[in-house]
Amino acid sequence: MPRFLRTRRFPNTMRYVIAAAAFAVAVSGCAVVHRPPTTIAKLQQDAVALGERDQVMRDSIIARLVRRAERRGDRTLDLLLLSGGGQNGAFGTGFLRGWHARTDNPMPRFDLVSGISTGALQAPYALLGTKASLDTVTALYARAATTIAPTLNWWFWLRRNGGLVNTSRFERTIASAIDGRFRTELRNAFAEDRQLVFATTDFDLGVGQLWSLGDEIANDSTGLVRSQMLLRAATAIPGIFPPVVVDGHVHADGGVVESVLATLTFADYQQLGRQLAARGLNDVTVRLWVVMNLWSHPEPRIIAPASRRQISNRTTLLLLYLHQSASLSALADLSRAVSAGVPGLKLEFKLAALPSSESMSPGAQKLFEQKFMQRLDSIGYAKATGATPWDSIPSAYRRPEPPVR
Protein backbone atom coordinates (compact mmCIF):
# COMPACT_ATOMS: atom_id res chain seq x y z
CA MET A 1 0.00 0.00 0.00
CA PRO A 2 1.41 3.46 -0.88
CA ARG A 3 2.90 5.26 2.11
CA PHE A 4 0.60 8.28 1.88
CA LEU A 5 -2.40 5.96 2.43
CA ARG A 6 -0.95 4.64 5.70
CA THR A 7 -1.91 7.78 7.61
CA ARG A 8 -4.63 8.76 10.03
CA ARG A 9 -6.41 10.82 7.39
CA PHE A 10 -8.21 7.72 6.10
CA PRO A 11 -10.19 5.07 8.04
CA ASN A 12 -8.87 1.55 7.53
CA THR A 13 -11.75 0.56 5.25
CA MET A 14 -11.28 3.63 3.07
CA ARG A 15 -7.56 2.99 2.81
CA TYR A 16 -8.16 -0.42 1.29
CA VAL A 17 -10.87 0.84 -1.01
CA ILE A 18 -8.49 3.48 -2.34
CA ALA A 19 -5.66 0.98 -2.56
CA ALA A 20 -7.85 -1.44 -4.50
CA ALA A 21 -8.91 1.30 -6.91
CA ALA A 22 -5.32 2.34 -7.31
CA PHE A 23 -4.32 -1.22 -8.10
CA ALA A 24 -7.03 -1.42 -10.75
CA VAL A 25 -5.73 1.74 -12.35
CA ALA A 26 -2.17 0.54 -12.16
CA VAL A 27 -2.80 -2.75 -13.90
CA SER A 28 -4.95 -1.18 -16.61
CA GLY A 29 -1.95 -0.01 -18.70
CA CYS A 30 -4.06 2.10 -21.07
CA ALA A 31 -2.53 5.34 -19.84
CA VAL A 32 1.02 4.07 -19.51
CA VAL A 33 3.63 5.24 -22.04
CA HIS A 34 5.74 2.31 -23.17
CA ARG A 35 8.93 2.37 -25.22
CA PRO A 36 10.75 -0.51 -26.88
CA PRO A 37 14.01 -1.63 -25.25
CA THR A 38 17.19 -0.11 -26.62
CA THR A 39 20.88 0.42 -25.82
CA ILE A 40 23.26 3.36 -25.90
CA ALA A 41 25.01 1.74 -28.86
CA LYS A 42 21.70 1.59 -30.72
CA LEU A 43 20.98 5.23 -29.86
CA GLN A 44 24.36 6.22 -31.26
CA GLN A 45 23.51 4.42 -34.50
CA ASP A 46 20.15 6.17 -34.55
CA ALA A 47 21.90 9.53 -34.10
CA VAL A 48 23.93 8.96 -37.28
CA ALA A 49 20.80 8.04 -39.22
CA LEU A 50 18.96 11.06 -37.84
CA GLY A 51 21.77 13.37 -38.97
CA GLU A 52 21.55 11.96 -42.49
CA ARG A 53 17.75 12.31 -42.42
CA ASP A 54 18.07 15.94 -41.33
CA GLN A 55 20.28 16.75 -44.31
CA VAL A 56 17.91 15.01 -46.72
CA MET A 57 15.03 17.05 -45.30
CA ARG A 58 16.92 20.33 -45.63
CA ASP A 59 17.81 19.51 -49.23
CA SER A 60 14.13 18.78 -49.90
CA ILE A 61 13.03 22.05 -48.27
CA ILE A 62 15.47 24.01 -50.42
CA ALA A 63 14.42 22.24 -53.63
CA ARG A 64 10.78 23.03 -52.94
CA LEU A 65 11.58 26.68 -52.22
CA VAL A 66 13.33 26.88 -55.60
CA ARG A 67 10.25 25.47 -57.29
CA ARG A 68 8.06 27.91 -55.37
CA ALA A 69 10.21 30.83 -56.59
CA GLU A 70 9.79 29.59 -60.16
CA ARG A 71 6.06 29.17 -59.69
CA ARG A 72 5.58 32.61 -58.13
CA GLY A 73 7.62 34.50 -60.71
CA ASP A 74 7.94 37.64 -58.58
CA ARG A 75 11.41 36.84 -57.16
CA THR A 76 10.01 36.69 -53.63
CA LEU A 77 9.62 33.94 -51.04
CA ASP A 78 7.62 34.30 -47.81
CA LEU A 79 8.52 32.28 -44.72
CA LEU A 80 6.43 32.47 -41.53
CA LEU A 81 7.87 31.41 -38.17
CA LEU A 82 5.37 30.80 -35.35
CA SER A 83 6.85 30.48 -31.86
CA GLY A 84 5.82 28.42 -28.89
CA GLY A 85 3.89 29.86 -25.97
CA GLY A 86 1.04 27.59 -24.85
CA GLN A 87 -2.13 29.57 -24.23
CA ASN A 88 -0.29 32.67 -25.46
CA GLY A 89 -0.84 31.27 -28.94
CA ALA A 90 -4.11 33.20 -28.81
CA PHE A 91 -2.00 36.29 -29.52
CA GLY A 92 -0.72 34.67 -32.72
CA THR A 93 -4.17 33.67 -33.95
CA GLY A 94 -5.44 37.20 -33.34
CA PHE A 95 -2.43 38.69 -35.11
CA LEU A 96 -2.78 36.43 -38.16
CA ARG A 97 -6.48 37.17 -38.42
CA GLY A 98 -5.86 40.91 -38.18
CA TRP A 99 -3.00 40.74 -40.68
CA HIS A 100 -5.24 38.93 -43.14
CA ALA A 101 -7.91 41.63 -42.69
CA ARG A 102 -5.58 44.46 -43.75
CA THR A 103 -6.23 46.00 -47.13
CA ASP A 104 -2.80 47.68 -47.21
CA ASN A 105 0.28 45.47 -46.78
CA PRO A 106 -1.88 42.33 -46.62
CA MET A 107 -0.68 38.99 -45.32
CA PRO A 108 1.16 37.11 -48.08
CA ARG A 109 0.50 33.55 -49.14
CA PHE A 110 3.29 31.75 -47.32
CA ASP A 111 5.67 29.39 -49.11
CA LEU A 112 6.87 27.83 -45.86
CA VAL A 113 5.44 27.94 -42.34
CA SER A 114 7.38 26.64 -39.36
CA GLY A 115 5.98 26.08 -35.88
CA ILE A 116 7.22 25.28 -32.41
CA SER A 117 4.87 23.93 -29.73
CA THR A 118 1.63 25.95 -29.92
CA GLY A 119 2.98 27.39 -33.17
CA ALA A 120 2.91 23.88 -34.64
CA LEU A 121 -0.85 23.77 -34.00
CA GLN A 122 -1.34 27.15 -35.68
CA ALA A 123 0.89 26.37 -38.64
CA PRO A 124 -1.54 24.31 -40.79
CA TYR A 125 -4.17 27.05 -40.62
CA ALA A 126 -1.60 29.77 -41.34
CA LEU A 127 -0.32 27.82 -44.34
CA LEU A 128 -3.81 27.69 -45.83
CA GLY A 129 -4.07 31.38 -45.00
CA THR A 130 -7.76 31.81 -45.79
CA LYS A 131 -10.26 33.74 -43.69
CA ALA A 132 -12.07 30.48 -43.01
CA SER A 133 -8.93 28.68 -41.81
CA LEU A 134 -7.89 31.59 -39.56
CA ASP A 135 -11.40 31.85 -38.12
CA THR A 136 -11.25 28.10 -37.43
CA VAL A 137 -7.98 28.24 -35.49
CA THR A 138 -9.27 31.30 -33.60
CA ALA A 139 -12.33 29.31 -32.55
CA LEU A 140 -10.08 26.40 -31.58
CA TYR A 141 -8.17 28.63 -29.15
CA ALA A 142 -11.36 30.32 -27.92
CA ARG A 143 -12.64 26.91 -26.81
CA ALA A 144 -9.26 25.76 -25.49
CA ALA A 145 -10.28 25.97 -21.83
CA THR A 146 -12.86 23.24 -22.39
CA THR A 147 -11.58 21.31 -25.42
CA ILE A 148 -7.78 21.44 -25.12
CA ALA A 149 -6.89 22.16 -21.50
CA PRO A 150 -5.89 18.90 -19.80
CA THR A 151 -7.37 17.72 -16.54
CA LEU A 152 -5.31 16.59 -13.57
CA ASN A 153 -4.45 12.91 -13.65
CA TRP A 154 -5.10 12.07 -10.00
CA TRP A 155 -3.43 8.69 -10.42
CA PHE A 156 -0.21 10.05 -11.96
CA TRP A 157 1.77 8.36 -9.19
CA LEU A 158 0.53 5.01 -10.52
CA ARG A 159 0.06 5.73 -14.21
CA ARG A 160 3.68 5.90 -15.16
CA ASN A 161 3.21 7.99 -18.28
CA GLY A 162 5.72 10.77 -17.63
CA GLY A 163 3.07 13.44 -17.10
CA LEU A 164 0.75 14.91 -14.50
CA VAL A 165 -2.34 15.46 -16.61
CA ASN A 166 -4.94 13.60 -18.60
CA THR A 167 -4.74 14.76 -22.23
CA SER A 168 -7.68 12.77 -23.58
CA ARG A 169 -9.74 15.77 -24.69
CA PHE A 170 -6.68 17.42 -26.24
CA GLU A 171 -6.07 14.24 -28.24
CA ARG A 172 -9.72 14.18 -29.31
CA THR A 173 -9.50 17.81 -30.40
CA ILE A 174 -6.38 17.13 -32.47
CA ALA A 175 -8.05 14.13 -34.11
CA SER A 176 -11.16 16.19 -34.86
CA ALA A 177 -9.27 19.24 -36.16
CA ILE A 178 -6.70 17.40 -38.28
CA ASP A 179 -9.21 15.22 -40.12
CA GLY A 180 -9.61 13.86 -43.64
CA ARG A 181 -11.20 17.01 -45.05
CA PHE A 182 -8.49 19.21 -43.59
CA ARG A 183 -5.85 16.84 -44.97
CA THR A 184 -7.31 17.34 -48.45
CA GLU A 185 -6.99 21.11 -48.12
CA LEU A 186 -3.42 20.80 -46.90
CA ARG A 187 -2.52 18.38 -49.67
CA ASN A 188 -3.62 20.96 -52.23
CA ALA A 189 -1.15 23.40 -50.66
CA PHE A 190 1.60 20.78 -50.52
CA ALA A 191 0.99 19.96 -54.20
CA GLU A 192 2.03 23.55 -54.94
CA ASP A 193 5.33 22.92 -53.09
CA ARG A 194 4.23 25.02 -50.13
CA GLN A 195 5.61 23.57 -46.90
CA LEU A 196 4.93 23.14 -43.20
CA VAL A 197 7.81 22.24 -40.89
CA PHE A 198 7.72 21.75 -37.13
CA ALA A 199 9.96 20.25 -34.48
CA THR A 200 9.95 17.91 -31.52
CA THR A 201 12.67 17.18 -28.98
CA ASP A 202 14.15 13.68 -28.97
CA PHE A 203 14.78 13.14 -25.25
CA ASP A 204 16.77 9.96 -25.87
CA LEU A 205 19.29 11.56 -28.21
CA GLY A 206 19.11 15.03 -26.68
CA VAL A 207 18.48 16.80 -30.00
CA GLY A 208 15.69 18.51 -31.87
CA GLN A 209 14.07 16.78 -34.83
CA LEU A 210 12.43 18.42 -37.84
CA TRP A 211 9.24 17.06 -39.37
CA SER A 212 7.60 17.98 -42.66
CA LEU A 213 3.83 17.67 -42.35
CA GLY A 214 3.52 17.32 -46.11
CA ASP A 215 5.75 14.26 -46.12
CA GLU A 216 4.12 12.71 -43.05
CA ILE A 217 0.52 13.18 -44.15
CA ALA A 218 1.13 11.83 -47.65
CA ASN A 219 0.61 8.19 -46.69
CA ASP A 220 -3.06 7.38 -47.22
CA SER A 221 -3.20 4.53 -44.72
CA THR A 222 -1.20 5.89 -41.77
CA GLY A 223 -0.39 9.51 -42.59
CA LEU A 224 -3.32 11.14 -40.82
CA VAL A 225 -2.92 9.23 -37.55
CA ARG A 226 0.85 9.70 -37.56
CA SER A 227 0.51 13.44 -38.21
CA GLN A 228 -1.86 13.74 -35.27
CA MET A 229 0.62 11.83 -33.11
CA LEU A 230 3.52 14.06 -34.13
CA LEU A 231 1.55 17.23 -33.38
CA ARG A 232 0.76 15.84 -29.93
CA ALA A 233 4.46 15.20 -29.42
CA ALA A 234 5.37 18.69 -30.65
CA THR A 235 3.16 20.25 -27.96
CA ALA A 236 3.80 17.86 -25.04
CA ILE A 237 5.05 20.12 -22.22
CA PRO A 238 7.77 18.06 -20.47
CA GLY A 239 6.85 16.81 -17.03
CA ILE A 240 3.22 17.94 -17.41
CA PHE A 241 1.97 16.31 -20.61
CA PRO A 242 2.91 12.68 -21.23
CA PRO A 243 5.67 12.31 -23.84
CA VAL A 244 5.02 10.49 -27.09
CA VAL A 245 7.08 7.55 -28.34
CA VAL A 246 7.87 8.09 -32.02
CA ASP A 247 9.87 5.52 -33.98
CA GLY A 248 11.10 4.01 -30.73
CA HIS A 249 12.29 7.30 -29.20
CA VAL A 250 10.78 9.50 -26.48
CA HIS A 251 9.65 12.83 -27.93
CA ALA A 252 8.13 15.95 -26.39
CA ASP A 253 7.79 19.70 -26.93
CA GLY A 254 10.13 21.19 -29.53
CA GLY A 255 10.30 24.36 -27.42
CA VAL A 256 12.92 22.64 -25.27
CA VAL A 257 15.41 23.20 -28.10
CA GLU A 258 14.25 26.60 -29.35
CA SER A 259 11.12 28.70 -29.17
CA VAL A 260 11.17 29.74 -32.83
CA LEU A 261 12.18 27.42 -35.67
CA ALA A 262 14.47 29.12 -38.18
CA THR A 263 14.59 25.89 -40.27
CA LEU A 264 17.42 27.04 -42.58
CA THR A 265 21.03 27.83 -41.64
CA PHE A 266 23.44 30.18 -43.41
CA ALA A 267 24.85 27.19 -45.34
CA ASP A 268 21.29 26.27 -46.38
CA TYR A 269 20.73 29.78 -47.72
CA GLN A 270 24.00 29.53 -49.64
CA GLN A 271 22.71 26.36 -51.27
CA LEU A 272 19.36 28.04 -51.96
CA GLY A 273 21.15 30.95 -53.62
CA ARG A 274 23.19 28.64 -55.85
CA GLN A 275 20.16 26.64 -56.94
CA LEU A 276 18.13 29.78 -57.65
CA ALA A 277 20.97 31.17 -59.74
CA ALA A 278 21.20 27.89 -61.66
CA ARG A 279 17.54 28.40 -62.65
CA GLY A 280 18.23 31.94 -63.75
CA LEU A 281 16.59 33.43 -60.64
CA ASN A 282 18.73 36.27 -59.34
CA ASP A 283 17.92 39.07 -56.91
CA VAL A 284 15.41 36.97 -54.96
CA THR A 285 14.10 38.38 -51.67
CA VAL A 286 13.22 35.98 -48.86
CA ARG A 287 10.91 37.65 -46.35
CA LEU A 288 11.18 36.12 -42.88
CA TRP A 289 8.08 36.91 -40.80
CA VAL A 290 8.23 35.99 -37.10
CA VAL A 291 5.26 35.91 -34.72
CA MET A 292 6.40 35.50 -31.10
CA ASN A 293 3.70 34.11 -28.82
CA LEU A 294 6.13 34.21 -25.88
CA TRP A 295 6.97 37.39 -24.01
CA SER A 296 10.65 38.14 -23.74
CA HIS A 297 10.70 38.84 -19.97
CA PRO A 298 8.84 37.12 -17.12
CA GLU A 299 6.82 39.14 -14.65
CA PRO A 300 8.80 40.97 -11.92
CA ARG A 301 8.84 38.98 -8.70
CA ILE A 302 10.26 39.54 -5.21
CA ILE A 303 12.52 36.55 -4.56
CA ALA A 304 13.50 35.26 -1.12
CA PRO A 305 17.28 34.77 -1.43
CA ALA A 306 17.30 31.95 1.13
CA SER A 307 14.66 29.91 -0.72
CA ARG A 308 16.25 27.33 -2.98
CA ARG A 309 12.83 26.46 -4.40
CA GLN A 310 12.14 30.06 -5.41
CA ILE A 311 15.61 30.42 -6.92
CA SER A 312 15.23 27.15 -8.84
CA ASN A 313 11.75 27.98 -10.14
CA ARG A 314 12.84 31.48 -11.13
CA THR A 315 15.87 30.08 -12.94
CA THR A 316 13.65 27.84 -15.05
CA LEU A 317 11.49 30.81 -16.07
CA LEU A 318 14.48 33.00 -16.84
CA LEU A 319 16.05 30.28 -18.98
CA LEU A 320 12.79 30.03 -20.91
CA TYR A 321 12.16 33.72 -21.50
CA LEU A 322 15.43 35.64 -21.48
CA HIS A 323 17.01 33.62 -24.28
CA GLN A 324 14.31 34.93 -26.65
CA SER A 325 16.32 38.05 -27.37
CA ALA A 326 19.38 35.97 -28.30
CA SER A 327 17.33 33.77 -30.63
CA LEU A 328 15.75 36.77 -32.34
CA SER A 329 19.09 38.57 -32.57
CA ALA A 330 20.53 35.47 -34.24
CA LEU A 331 17.75 35.60 -36.85
CA ALA A 332 18.43 39.27 -37.48
CA ASP A 333 22.17 38.53 -37.79
CA LEU A 334 21.37 35.69 -40.18
CA SER A 335 19.34 38.02 -42.37
CA ARG A 336 22.21 40.50 -42.55
CA ALA A 337 24.76 37.76 -43.24
CA VAL A 338 22.68 36.25 -46.05
CA SER A 339 21.99 39.64 -47.63
CA ALA A 340 25.69 40.51 -47.54
CA GLY A 341 27.23 37.12 -48.23
CA VAL A 342 24.95 35.15 -50.54
CA PRO A 343 25.00 36.47 -54.12
CA GLY A 344 21.57 37.12 -55.61
CA LEU A 345 19.73 36.57 -52.32
CA LYS A 346 18.32 39.10 -49.88
CA LEU A 347 16.84 38.08 -46.51
CA GLU A 348 14.44 40.47 -44.74
CA PHE A 349 13.39 40.00 -41.11
CA LYS A 350 10.19 41.25 -39.46
CA LEU A 351 9.05 40.56 -35.88
CA ALA A 352 5.66 40.80 -34.18
CA ALA A 353 5.96 40.08 -30.46
CA LEU A 354 3.56 39.65 -27.57
CA PRO A 355 4.16 42.53 -25.11
CA SER A 356 6.00 41.38 -21.98
CA SER A 357 3.67 43.52 -19.87
CA GLU A 358 1.02 40.84 -20.41
CA SER A 359 3.01 38.52 -18.13
CA MET A 360 1.46 40.51 -15.26
CA SER A 361 -2.14 40.24 -16.46
CA PRO A 362 -4.65 38.05 -14.58
CA GLY A 363 -4.58 34.51 -15.92
CA ALA A 364 -1.13 34.82 -17.44
CA GLN A 365 0.37 32.12 -15.22
CA LYS A 366 -2.34 29.55 -15.84
CA LEU A 367 -2.23 26.74 -18.37
CA PHE A 368 -5.40 27.71 -20.26
CA GLU A 369 -7.47 30.68 -19.04
CA GLN A 370 -10.32 31.70 -21.32
CA LYS A 371 -10.58 35.40 -20.48
CA PHE A 372 -6.83 35.89 -20.71
CA MET A 373 -6.73 34.12 -24.08
CA GLN A 374 -9.56 36.32 -25.34
CA ARG A 375 -7.55 39.34 -24.24
CA LEU A 376 -4.45 38.15 -26.10
CA ASP A 377 -6.48 37.47 -29.24
CA SER A 378 -7.78 41.06 -29.13
CA ILE A 379 -4.26 42.42 -28.55
CA GLY A 380 -2.91 40.44 -31.50
CA TYR A 381 -5.71 41.56 -33.81
CA ALA A 382 -5.36 45.23 -32.81
CA LYS A 383 -1.59 45.07 -33.27
CA ALA A 384 -1.83 43.56 -36.74
CA THR A 385 -4.43 46.08 -37.93
CA GLY A 386 -2.73 49.05 -36.27
CA ALA A 387 -0.08 51.47 -37.46
CA THR A 388 2.89 49.64 -35.89
CA PRO A 389 2.49 45.87 -36.26
CA TRP A 390 6.24 45.14 -36.27
CA ASP A 391 8.66 45.35 -33.35
CA SER A 392 12.33 45.82 -32.66
CA ILE A 393 14.27 43.02 -30.96
CA PRO A 394 14.06 43.17 -27.14
CA SER A 395 17.16 43.13 -24.93
CA ALA A 396 17.71 40.60 -22.17
CA TYR A 397 19.46 43.36 -20.23
CA ARG A 398 16.63 45.87 -20.22
CA ARG A 399 13.00 45.41 -19.24
CA PRO A 400 10.58 46.72 -21.85
CA GLU A 401 8.70 49.80 -20.72
CA PRO A 402 5.07 49.09 -19.81
CA PRO A 403 2.54 50.44 -22.31
CA VAL A 404 0.75 53.66 -21.55
CA ARG A 405 -2.81 52.80 -20.49
Side-chain angles (χ1 to χ4, degrees), residues 46-88:
D46 293 346
V48 174
L50 181 60
E52 295 171 350
R53 173 191 175 279
D54 181 75
Q55 188 57 58
V56 170
M57 177 171 287
R58 291 178 184 277
D59 291 343
S60 176
I61 290 171
I62 292 168
R64 288 168 178 165
L65 286 175
V66 172
R67 293 197 294 268
R68 279 299 301 168
E70 289 182 309
R71 185 187 293 266
R72 285 185 57 154
D74 60 356
R75 299 182 184 276
T76 304
L77 290 169
D78 286 292
L79 281 57
L80 173 66
L81 282 56
L82 298 168
S83 85
Q87 68 169 348
N88 293 1

Side-chain angles (χ1 to χ4, degrees), residues 141-208:
Y141 276 75
R143 298 191 303 267
T146 56
T147 61
I148 291 180
T151 55
L152 182 62
N153 175 12
W154 293 101
W155 299 104
F156 68 87
W157 52 280
L158 285 173
R159 288 174 172 165
R160 309 288 291 180
N161 64 6
L164 294 175
V165 296
N166 184 325
T167 57
S168 296
R169 60 183 181 183
F170 176 52
E171 293 172 10
R172 288 194 298 268
T173 297
I174 291 291
S176 175
I178 311 297
D179 59 8
R181 179 178 178 182
F182 194 48
R183 174 171 65 176
T184 299
E185 294 183 60
L186 288 171
R187 279 179 164 178
N188 292 335
F190 298 143
E192 298 175 345
D193 285 312
R194 300 170 66 213
Q195 303 179 70
L196 193 164
V197 180
F198 61 100
T200 59
T201 301
D202 186 323
F203 273 63
D204 289 323
L205 294 180
V207 297

